[in-house]
Amino acid sequence: MYTSFYTAARGAMEEQRKLDVVANNLANVNNYGYKAKTPVFTDLMYYNLNNYNGDDTPLKAGTGILVEQTKTDFDPKGLITTEGKFDYAIVGEGFFMVRSPITNEITYTRNGHFSMSKRGDDFYLVNDNGNLVLDQNRNPIQVLNGETGGELSSEIGVYGFNIMDGMLSVGNNEFAPSVKNGEPFLIAGAKVVDHALEMSGASVADDFTRIIEAQRAYSYALKMVQTSDEVINTINTLRT
């Protein structure tokens, strides 16, 4: 009985985590370049029932589920035309490389909604988080004649990774590579379109379907918790 209680409780907790992921997708449905996330579940330990001799049996019982990881869909999405002078979108795979002017940390993003920022006597191309956009030589891009219009001092760099799985979401629609992703490389001939932005990868229809699934699973798990608690209380009452 205790196993059923804790299995159901674990199920409810993990369905709540799924709802958190889906809610984050819906909150970013209008954020350019956002990459939708999906929770990946795994089964916890199974054991054999009626296992008298240490042999495998067809009767098994599990101990619940766990959200093992949250996968990110990095597939390119559709583009939308804008009036922004410094709006850019990548056609195909790759990321914009940006660098924090404070920590010099390098991160990557698909959101090309850029603007210019004055630093000293010069203007630089920055993203929404104030990070410097880097060119094909990994140097900050200056905006020439920024006060009168502005042209970029060099071409925007587009970088890729041999392995995309496992990139770390660091917030603000930016990612940092893990060890398994390897070193970034410049994508030669990458096409960057100006006056355009990549639309969000979140799907309202898909995420609302996931919400309904998670709500029902959560409700069933709580009902199982309630039933297990009632059975335990009944047994304790009989003992007394």
Side-chain angles (χ1 to χ4, degrees), residues 40-61:
V40 179
F41 289 89
T42 187
D43 294 329
L44 295 178
M45 184 179 296
Y46 276 78
Y47 59 92
N48 293 312
L49 296 176
N50 301 329
N51 181 12
Y52 301 110
N53 301 316
D55 300 326
D56 191 19
T57 69
L59 298 177
K60 299 181 184 296

Side-chain angles (χ1 to χ4, degrees), residues 2 6 24-25 27 40 43-44 46 51 56 82 101 118 144 151 159 170-171 185-186 214-215 217 231 236 239:
Y2 290 106
Y6 290 114
N24 184 66
N25 286 341
V40 179
D43 294 329
L44 295 178
Y46 276 78
N51 181 12
D56 191 19
T82 71
K118 188 173 184 180
L144 307 177
E151 296 181 356
Y159 295 84
V170 296
F185 60 87
L186 180 67
Q215 285 179 329
V231 171
N236 291 334
R239 288 175 178 173

Side-chain angles (χ1 to χ4, degrees), residues 204-217:
V204 175
D206 291 343
D207 284 327
F208 268 112
T209 300
R210 295 189 182 101
I211 286 177
I212 295 173
E213 293 173 347
Q215 285 179 329
R216 289 179 177 175

